[in-house]
Amino acid sequence: MLHRRAAQLQKHASHNKLEEKDVEKFASILSTPETSLLTTLKTSKGPKPVDASELDLFNNDWMNKYHGQSVCVLKPKTTQEVSEIMKYCFERKLAVVPQGGNTGLVGGGVPVLDEVIINLGAMNKIRSFNEISGTLVCDAGCILESLDNHIAEKGYMMPLDLGAKGSCQIGGNVATNAGGLRFLRYGSLHGNVLGLEVVLPNGTVLDGLSTLRKDNTGFDLKQLFIGSEGTIGLITGVSIITPRRPSAFNVAVFAVDSFEAVQNVFSKVKAHCGEILSAFEFFDNQSLEMVKAHATAGVKDPFQDKHPFYVLIETSGSKKEHDDEKVNELLEELMESSAIVDGVLAQDETQVQSLWALRESIPEAAGKLGSTYKYDVSMPVELMNELVEDMRSRLDKHGLMGNKVKEVVGYGHIGDGNLHINIIADKFDPAVEEVIEPYIYEWLAKVNGSISAEHGLGRMKGEKIGYSKSPASVAIMKDIKHLFDPENLLNPYKYLPSDK
Amino acid sequence: MLHRRAAQLQKHASHNKLEEKDVEKFASILSTPETSLLTTLKTSKGPKPVDASELDLFNNDWMNKYHGQSVCVLKPKTTQEVSEIMKYCFERKLAVVPQGGNTGLVGGGVPVLDEVIINLGAMNKIRSFNEISGTLVCDAGCILESLDNHIAEKGYMMPLDLGAKGSCQIGGNVATNAGGLRFLRYGSLHGNVLGLEVVLPNGTVLDGLSTLRKDNTGFDLKQLFIGSEGTIGLITGVSIITPRRPSAFNVAVFAVDSFEAVQNVFSKVKAHCGEILSAFEFFDNQSLEMVKAHATAGVKDPFQDKHPFYVLIETSGSKKEHDDEKVNELLEELMESSAIVDGVLAQDETQVQSLWALRESIPEAAGKLGSTYKYDVSMPVELMNELVEDMRSRLDKHGLMGNKVKEVVGYGHIGDGNLHINIIADKFDPAVEEVIEPYIYEWLAKVNGSISAEHGLGRMKGEKIGYSKSPASVAIMKDIKHLFDPENLLNPYKYLPSDK
C-alpha cells in the first residue's frame, strides 16, 4: 500500500524544515499574502495562521488516496512571484510541490511529506489569442474548460478534452502530458504545445513562450517539461495551437459480440470516416451493467439485449450533410456485413450527451460501487481484452472475485491502444493489491506495454518505471533530473526510482 | 563566408587523428568491410585504399557549399555495428559525423574537419508495419519516398513529405525535425514519432522503439533526439505513426493582389475546407517569373495576367464528391467576395502536378539563376512579406539589386508561418553576405521569429542560435550536450555556439 511506503519515507537529509522566517519571506514576495498564503505556522509578520483542516484540500488528492503534511500553501499571481519563491526555496533548500487543479490519479500533485505547495490556481489569465493562426497563450492556472469556452466564441477548440476539464489546469495538463478524448484526432501535447514559460528550481525563468509553429533552433527543451510532472521546473505559461472547432458532430454506439469484432469495426470506421473520426472508445458489458446500476440518473441502455462489448464512435467535421452521409454509409456497411449486432446513432444533442454518458460515467459508477484500483495502461490493441480476462480469472483463482473484489471492468481508447482497467474492491486492501501487483506490471512488461499510458507516474508508479523503461533510459532520466534540480527540491519522492 | 570560418577552426585538442589501426578496427567490426568501409588510408589489414575523389560525395554537401576532409566513411549494416564503432571511437576519442541522405541545407551532415563519417544508407530495412494501427518501424537509413511507397500499398501515407524525398532518409528527417509539405495537416515529428533506437556517443544502445501511441512513464527522451542534428546520439531506428492515405485530392492556385489578401484567403480556406485542408502555400510574382524563365520545361503560368502574389491550396480527404463540393463552394465564395483576382482548379492528375510544379520548382529555378542565399525562417504570418520587401530595398540601397544580386524571392508555407526567402546572387560574395547578415537575424530576433524554421542549425547557424533562443536556454542546451557527449565527439563544431 502506498501510504505505508510514505510512512517509511525519510525526508531528504539536505532539505530544511519550514520555519517562521520562511513564511515571512513568502509573505513579503506575494502581493496579497492575506489571500495567497495559507499556513498553520504562527509568525510575527506573516498572515494569521489557519486551521490545519483548511490545508486538507491541498494536502490530499481528490480520491483521498494520497496524503501530504505540508503546513504552507502559496498561490502566486505572477511568474515573477513564482520565480522569487523558487529562488528563495533553492537557497534555503526547501522542497516544493507544484500543484494545478489536483485532479491527477497518481498522487503527483500533492506533497508526500511537508513540501511547500505552490498552487498555480491564481495564475489564470489568458495572455493572447490569435484568431488567424489559432494560437493561444495563457497562464498555467487557466482551467481547461474555461479556455475551451473562451476560444469557442472565436471558432476554435482546445486540442484536448478530459473528464476533469472543469477543474484541471492547462499547466497541469502539460506537466502530465494529459491525453484524453481528442487524442485520436489531434494527437499529443508534444505536437500541440508551441512554447512554455517555466521557472527552474533555482528561480531562473525560462521564457520559451513562442507562438511559432516551426522553430528548429537547438534542442526542443519544452518537450522535456511536457510530462515531467513538475520534477524539473514549474510551468507558469503555455502557448498552444488550437484547431478549428468542428460545426458538425455525430455519435453512435454499436454492440458487438467479441473483442475481435471491436478491432474489425475500428478498421472499417477508419476507412469510412477518414479525416472526420474524432473518437473510438470501447467498454465491456461489465462496464455498462455497472453504469446502469450505479451511475447518476439519466444513463439508459440503448439496447434491448446484452452484448459482450460496445463501441462508441464520434465524428466531427465542417459540413453536416457530408458527415451524415459518411456515417450512414458506414452504418449500412457495418449492418450488412454483420460487423455489428446492433447500433444506435444519436439524432440530437440530448442523445449525443446520453450516448457519451454511457462511456463517461464508468469512473463515477466504479467510485460508487467501491474502492477502485485504477490502471491506465497501453499495449498493442489486440491484447487489451486479454489483460482484463486474465485479471478476472486470476482474482477468481485467488478466491477474491465476488468476495473482496466486486467487479473488474475494461474500457478505454481503442484508437490509442489505451486501456483503463478498473478493479473495484470493498475497500483498499493489501490482500487484493498483492494479487494485482506486480502481476499487472509484469504482464505489461512482457508485451512491451506501458504501465502508464496517460496518467503519469507520480507517487504511485515512480518506483515501477523499470517495467516500461530500460535501465539505460532511467539512468539518463536521473541525470537530467540532477542537471535541472541537483538538490532534488522539486516534487521529490516521486516519478523516478529513489537511489537506494 | 562559412568556409573562411571553417579554415580557422582548430581540431579539438582532446580528439585524436585517425590512424591505420583505427581503420583496421573498423574493418573488423563491419561484416562486409570491402563495401562498407571507404578510406584513403593505407592499411595492412583493412580494405584497399580508394582515391580521395571517391569520398567527395560524403565530404561535401549537395549544394557544394560545405566541405569536409574526412579520410574514412563507414556504412554499417546493423545497430550492433554502429554501437561497436561508436564505443571504439569513444574510447579512442575519434570525432564522428552521422550522415543520412546528405540533403540538408545547413551543412549538418558533412564533416567540418576530419571526422569519421558514419553513413546510415546501408541500414535500410523496414522492420514492421501494423496495418490496423498504421505504425511503421524501420531502419534509420530508409529513404522517405520508399517508405511512402511501401505503405501506400496498404492504404497509409508518411506524415511528412519534402522536395528531397527521393534521397533523404527517415533517420535524417527525424534528426533534423524535418517539416515539409504535410506539416499543416499532420503536424510535427514531435507528435508523430512514437519511438527511436539511438546509439549514444559511448556506444550504448538506447532501445526506445516503442509502437505505443501513449506512454507517460518518465521524461520523453526521444524528443531530445528529434531535431538534435546528430549531436547527442546516432539514430538507427524509427517508429512512427502514419495516417490513412487520402483517396481524393484537389489542388487550386489563386492569384491575389496583396499580401493582406493572402492572409484573408487563408482564413476563408480554413473555414470552408476544415479537416480536408492539407497545404496552403504562397509565392510572390518574382518567384513565378523566375520559375517561368529558369525551371525545367513543363512549368506554365496558368494565368493571363501578372499578379503580386499566388496561393496554392491542396485538400485531401476520403470522399471525392464531398471534397469537390467543399472546394467548389470555396471557389464561389472567393470569387464573389473578390478575395481573389483569378483562380484555377486542377481537373486531373496532370494538372495537379503542373500546379504543384509552380511552387516546387522555385528552389531549382533559383539554382539555375545564380548562387542562392537561402534563409528558412518563421515569424507571425502578417510579417512574412515585410521581410522580403525590406530585404529588397536594403540590397537596393547598397547598390546590389540588379547588380551582384539578381533577384529576391519569397515563398513558403503560410499555414506554418514559415517563409523561405532566397537571395540569388551572381556568386557567393562577402560583399553581398555582409549586407544580408546579421541584418536578417536581427530583424527576426526583433519580432520573436526563428532563424531556422525547418532546416536546422548545422554548420551555418550554430553560432547564431542566440538570435532565437535566450542565454538561459542555450546554457541548458550546452549542459545537455555535455551530459550525453562529454568529449564532444558527435558532430562537433556545429549546432551550438563554441565555448570561446
Side-chain angles (χ1 to χ4, degrees):
Chain A
M1 293 288 283
L2 287 150
H3 26 278
R4 281 186 304 162
R5 193 195 125 212
Q8 294 158 0
L9 263 180
Q10 292 288 316
K11 190 175 168 77
H12 283 306
S14 65
H15 292 183
N16 285 311
K17 195 162 180 264
L18 194 78
E19 294 174 15
E20 196 179 315
K21 66 174 179 189
D22 303 320
V23 173
E24 287 173 355
K25 176 70 184 180
F26 294 146
S28 78
I29 292 171
L30 296 163
S31 62
T32 55
E34 58 287 359
T35 52
S36 309
L37 199 167
L38 293 176
T39 183
T40 54
L41 288 192
K42 260 185 219 152
T43 56
S44 44
K45 285 184 286 180
K48 79 171 178 0
V50 298
D51 189 77
S53 65
E54 290 200 41
L55 300 188
D56 283 352
L57 201 62
F58 306 93
N59 265 320
N60 306 313
D61 75 313
W62 68 275
M63 300 181 298
N64 209 22
K65 191 171 171 195
Y66 302 97
H67 313 286
Q69 302 128 41
S70 179
V71 296
C72 182
V73 177
L74 307 176
K75 301 185 198 168
K77 288 186 172 160
T78 65
T79 304
Q80 187 55 35
E81 287 182 7
V82 176
S83 165
E84 286 177 40
I85 293 164
M86 289 303 298
K87 186 162 182 287
Y88 179 78
C89 290
F90 185 75
E91 283 160 7
R92 264 282 287 152
K93 296 201 169 61
L94 295 170
V96 161
V97 54
Q99 184 174 76
N102 196 3
T103 63
L105 289 151
V106 291
V110 290
V112 176
L113 302 173
D114 63 349
E115 299 90 280
V116 174
I117 297 170
I118 302 185
N119 183 293
L120 275 290
M123 285 189 67
N124 56 5
K125 290 195 185 52
I126 289 170
R127 302 193 193 176
S128 69
F129 183 72
N130 183 314
E131 297 194 31
I132 292 181
S133 63
T135 311
L136 172 72
V137 183
C138 65
D139 285 353
C142 291
I143 303 282
L144 179 60
E145 193 171 43
S146 312
L147 293 173
D148 201 51
N149 290 340
H150 178 81
I151 64 175
E153 295 163 22
K154 295 151 185 13
Y156 288 86
M157 182 173 82
M158 294 301 285
L160 76 163
D161 183 28
L162 46 155
K165 59 176 168 267
S167 340
C168 67
Q169 298 170 8
I170 188 71
N173 296 149
V174 173
T176 57
N177 190 29
L181 301 166
R182 292 178 187 156
F183 188 98
L184 176 69
R185 171 75 162 269
Y186 300 103
S188 101
L189 287 170
H190 287 288
N192 291 315
V193 170
L194 299 178
L196 294 177
E197 179 188 80
V198 178
V199 177
L200 299 180
N202 66 6
T204 301
V205 179
L206 208 60
D207 176 9
L209 270 187
S210 169
T211 55
L212 304 171
R213 282 210 73 180
K214 284 180 174 173
D215 176 23
N216 273 352
T217 54
F219 300 119
D220 196 353
L221 296 180
K222 69 171 178 287
Q223 302 290 353
L224 274 181
F225 298 100
I226 301 172
S228 66
E229 301 184 29
T231 58
I232 54 172
L234 205 150
I235 296 171
T236 51
V238 174
S239 168
I240 189 167
I241 184 87
T242 68
R244 296 288 295 191
R245 199 169 198 93
S247 52
F249 289 92
N250 281 301
V251 173
V253 172
F254 307 134
V256 298
D257 57 12
S258 69
F259 190 72
E260 289 65 44
V262 172
Q263 296 170 70
N264 178 35
V265 172
F266 182 44
S267 277
K268 287 190 196 289
V269 169
K270 283 211 293 183
H272 267 272
C273 297
E275 62 279 0
I276 61 168
L277 182 64
S278 54
F280 191 102
E281 303 280 311
F282 95 104
F283 45 95
D284 56 19
N285 176 56
Q286 289 82 346
S287 298
L288 182 60
E289 292 303 314
M290 183 177 73
V291 162
K292 281 156 64 180
H294 300 281
T296 37
V299 178
K300 264 193 299 194
D301 188 344
F303 304 109
Q304 299 260 316
D305 301 318
K306 291 184 185 181
H307 305 277
F309 295 95
Y310 302 90
V311 161
L312 179 149
I313 71 156
E314 182 194 76
T315 66
S316 49
S318 58
K319 204 170 167 68
K320 182 76 177 143
E321 309 91 275
H322 290 173
D323 292 7
D324 288 351
E325 203 181 313
K326 287 186 178 99
V327 171
N328 283 320
E329 280 178 13
L330 168 70
L331 277 176
E332 253 170 61
E333 144 123 29
L334 291 176
M335 296 300 278
E336 273 173 24
S337 65
S338 303
I340 61 175
V341 182
D342 205 348
V344 48
L345 176 63
Q347 298 301 321
D348 56 36
E349 181 58 26
T350 312
Q351 288 183 17
V352 163
Q353 299 300 336
S354 67
L355 289 185
W356 260 117
L358 296 172
R359 161 67 182 84
E360 286 191 309
S361 306
I362 302 171
E364 182 205 346
K368 289 193 183 161
L369 178 57
S371 295
T372 307
Y373 291 94
K374 286 171 182 287
Y375 297 89
D376 152 56
V377 300
S378 65
M379 69 197 84
V381 175
E382 61 273 19
L383 301 174
M384 283 166 75
N385 187 54
E386 206 173 306
L387 174 58
V388 181
E389 299 283 3
D390 267 21
M391 191 54 73
R392 283 191 190 118
S393 44
R394 182 175 167 83
L395 291 162
D396 198 39
K397 264 189 221 145
H398 284 78
L400 295 169
M401 277 302 280
N403 176 9
K404 291 185 172 192
V405 172
K406 296 179 160 182
E407 191 55 279
V408 175
V409 303
Y411 60 98
H413 321 289
I414 283 277
D416 318 327
N418 184 181
L419 171 73
H420 295 292
I421 169 168
N422 285 191
I423 297 153
I424 302 114
D426 276 342
K427 58 177 179 23
F428 292 120
D429 183 340
V432 174
E433 188 170 314
E434 69 195 17
V435 174
I436 307 172
E437 297 185 26
Y439 178 80
I440 189 167
Y441 298 128
E442 288 165 357
W443 200 101
L444 289 161
K446 252 181 260 168
V447 302
N448 296 316
S450 171
I451 62 161
S452 188
E454 56 179 11
H455 293 173
L457 297 167
R459 191 163 148 191
M460 181 178 177
K461 298 180 188 169
E463 301 285 341
K464 312 256 171 18
I465 190 172
Y467 287 108
S468 286
K469 291 289 157 69
S470 69
S473 292
V474 175
I476 294 174
M477 290 184 202
K478 286 189 170 190
D479 286 343
I480 287 174
K481 166 73 177 173
H482 187 77
L483 181 65
F484 282 88
D485 186 18
E487 297 288 349
N488 198 12
L489 292 170
L490 211 47
N491 222 0
Y493 321 110
K494 295 172 185 164
Y495 196 64
L496 290 172
S498 51
D499 281 321
K500 286 140 276 175
Chain B
M1 296 287 283
L2 288 151
H3 26 277
R4 281 185 303 162
R5 191 196 127 213
Q8 293 159 2
L9 263 181
Q10 292 287 317
K11 191 176 167 78
H12 283 307
S14 65
H15 293 184
N16 285 312
K17 195 164 181 267
L18 194 78
E19 292 174 18
E20 198 179 314
K21 65 174 180 188
D22 304 319
V23 173
E24 287 172 356
K25 176 69 184 178
F26 293 146
S28 78
I29 292 170
L30 296 163
S31 63
T32 55
E34 57 289 357
T35 53
S36 308
L37 197 168
L38 292 176
T39 182
T40 55
L41 289 190
K42 259 183 219 154
T43 56
S44 44
K45 285 185 283 180
K48 79 173 184 340
V50 299
D51 189 76
S53 64
E54 290 198 43
L55 300 188
D56 283 353
L57 200 63
F58 306 93
N59 265 319
N60 307 311
D61 75 312
W62 68 276
M63 301 180 297
N64 209 20
K65 193 172 170 193
Y66 302 98
H67 313 286
Q69 301 128 43
S70 178
V71 296
C72 183
V73 177
L74 307 177
K75 301 186 199 167
K77 287 185 173 162
T78 64
T79 304
Q80 187 55 35
E81 287 182 8
V82 175
S83 166
E84 286 178 39
I85 292 165
M86 288 303 298
K87 187 161 182 286
Y88 179 78
C89 290
F90 185 75
E91 284 160 7
R92 264 282 289 151
K93 295 199 168 67
L94 295 170
V96 161
V97 52
Q99 185 173 76
N102 196 2
T103 63
L105 289 151
V106 291
V110 291
V112 176
L113 301 173
D114 63 349
E115 298 90 282
V116 173
I117 298 169
I118 301 185
N119 183 293
L120 275 289
M123 284 189 67
N124 56 5
K125 289 194 187 53
I126 289 170
R127 302 193 193 175
S128 69
F129 183 72
N130 183 314
E131 296 194 32
I132 291 181
S133 63
T135 311
L136 173 71
V137 183
C138 64
D139 285 352
C142 290
I143 304 282
L144 179 60
E145 193 170 44
S146 312
L147 293 173
D148 200 51
N149 290 340
H150 177 82
I151 64 176
E153 296 162 21
K154 296 150 184 16
Y156 287 87
M157 182 173 82
M158 293 301 285
L160 76 163
D161 182 28
L162 46 154
K165 60 175 169 268
S167 342
C168 67
Q169 297 170 9
I170 189 70
N173 296 150
V174 173
T176 58
N177 189 29
L181 301 166
R182 291 178 188 157
F183 188 97
L184 176 69
R185 172 76 162 268
Y186 300 103
S188 100
L189 287 170
H190 287 288
N192 292 314
V193 170
L194 298 179
L196 294 177
E197 179 188 80
V198 178
V199 176
L200 299 180
N202 67 5
T204 301
V205 179
L206 207 61
D207 177 9
L209 271 187
S210 168
T211 55
L212 304 171
R213 281 209 73 180
K214 284 179 173 174
D215 176 22
N216 274 352
T217 52
F219 301 119
D220 196 353
L221 295 180
K222 69 170 178 285
Q223 302 290 353
L224 274 181
F225 298 99
I226 300 173
S228 66
E229 301 184 29
T231 59
I232 53 172
L234 207 150
I235 296 171
T236 50
V238 174
S239 167
I240 189 166
I241 183 88
T242 68
R244 297 287 297 190
R245 199 169 199 94
S247 52
F249 288 93
N250 280 301
V251 173
V253 172
F254 307 134
V256 298
D257 56 14
S258 69
F259 190 72
E260 289 66 42
V262 172
Q263 295 170 72
N264 178 35
V265 172
F266 182 43
S267 276
K268 286 189 197 291
V269 169
K270 281 211 292 182
H272 268 272
C273 296
E275 63 279 1
I276 61 169
L277 182 62
S278 54
F280 192 101
E281 303 279 310
F282 95 105
F283 44 96
D284 57 19
N285 176 56
Q286 288 84 345
S287 297
L288 181 60
E289 291 303 315
M290 185 178 73
V291 162
K292 281 155 63 179
H294 299 282
T296 37
V299 179
K300 264 193 300 196
D301 188 344
F303 303 110
Q304 298 260 318
D305 301 318
K306 291 184 183 180
H307 304 277
F309 295 95
Y310 302 91
V311 162
L312 179 149
I313 71 155
E314 183 193 75
T315 66
S316 48
S318 59
K319 202 169 167 69
K320 182 76 176 143
E321 309 91 275
H322 290 172
D323 293 7
D324 288 351
E325 202 180 312
K326 288 186 177 99
V327 170
N328 283 321
E329 281 177 12
L330 168 70
L331 276 176
E332 253 170 60
E333 144 123 28
L334 291 176
M335 296 299 277
E336 272 173 24
S337 65
S338 302
I340 60 174
V341 183
D342 205 347
V344 48
L345 176 64
Q347 298 302 321
D348 56 35
E349 181 57 27
T350 312
Q351 288 183 19
V352 164
Q353 298 299 336
S354 66
L355 290 185
W356 260 118
L358 295 172
R359 162 66 183 84
E360 286 192 309
S361 306
I362 302 171
E364 181 204 349
K368 288 194 183 160
L369 178 58
S371 295
T372 307
Y373 291 95
K374 285 172 185 287
Y375 296 90
D376 151 56
V377 299
S378 65
M379 70 197 83
V381 174
E382 62 271 21
L383 300 174
M384 284 166 74
N385 187 54
E386 206 173 305
L387 175 57
V388 181
E389 298 283 3
D390 267 21
M391 191 53 73
R392 282 190 190 119
S393 44
R394 181 174 168 84
L395 291 163
D396 198 38
K397 265 189 221 144
H398 284 78
L400 294 170
M401 277 303 279
N403 175 13
K404 289 184 172 193
V405 172
K406 294 178 163 182
E407 192 55 278
V408 175
V409 303
Y411 59 98
H413 320 290
I414 285 277
D416 317 327
N418 184 181
L419 172 72
H420 294 292
I421 170 166
N422 285 190
I423 297 154
I424 302 115
D426 278 342
K427 58 179 176 30
F428 291 121
D429 183 340
V432 174
E433 188 170 312
E434 69 195 17
V435 174
I436 308 171
E437 296 184 27
Y439 178 79
I440 189 166
Y441 297 128
E442 289 165 355
W443 200 103
L444 289 161
K446 252 182 260 168
V447 302
N448 297 317
S450 170
I451 63 162
S452 189
E454 56 180 11
H455 293 174
L457 296 167
R459 191 160 149 192
M460 180 178 177
K461 297 178 187 168
E463 300 286 340
K464 312 257 169 20
I465 190 173
Y467 288 108
S468 287
K469 291 289 156 71
S470 70
S473 293
V474 175
I476 294 174
M477 290 184 201
K478 285 188 172 191
D479 286 344
I480 287 174
K481 165 73 178 172
H482 186 77
L483 180 64
F484 283 88
D485 186 17
E487 297 288 349
N488 197 11
L489 291 170
L490 211 47
N491 222 359
Y493 321 111
K494 295 172 185 165
Y495 196 66
L496 289 171
S498 51
D499 281 320
K500 286 141 276 174

